[in-house]
Amino acid sequence: DYLQTNDIIANRRGIGFFITENAVEKIKDIRKKQFMEEEVPVFIKNMKLLDINLDEIIKIYQSK
């Protein structure tokens, strides 16, 4: 039901379920929204608690 509701799969009567043309993009959009709403706030909160600024994060990950 979830996949159909989000237009990731489509039911073709008598044949079965098929992945929609834009399924990958839709999944990415759903996951991105979920990430931004659930994980980023926790990350930012931890940055503040540990007194880490964004420049430090960027510097660490640019060198990898």
Side-chain angles (χ1 to χ4, degrees):
D1 286 338
Y2 177 82
L3 296 175
Q4 258 187 303
T5 301
N6 287 292
D7 201 30
I8 295 167
I9 62 171
N11 184 6
R12 295 190 185 156
R13 278 184 197 225
I15 301 175
F17 290 94
F18 294 86
I19 297 171
T20 60
E21 189 175 318
N22 297 323
V24 172
E25 291 82 16
K26 289 181 185 216
I27 292 168
K28 284 181 183 179
D29 288 343
I30 291 167
R31 182 64 186 104
K32 183 177 180 177
K33 181 180 179 208
Q34 185 179 32
F35 175 77
M36 296 299 280
E37 291 175 354
E38 297 173 13
E39 297 179 38
V40 170
V42 174
F43 180 75
I44 302 250
K45 179 181 175 184
N46 284 321
M47 283 178 61
K48 288 179 181 179
L49 286 171
L50 298 170
D51 196 29
I52 299 170
N53 65 47
L54 190 55
D55 291 333
E56 289 178 80
I57 301 289
I58 293 169
K59 185 177 178 181
I60 289 169
Y61 284 97
Q62 281 181 337
S63 64
K64 291 187 179 198

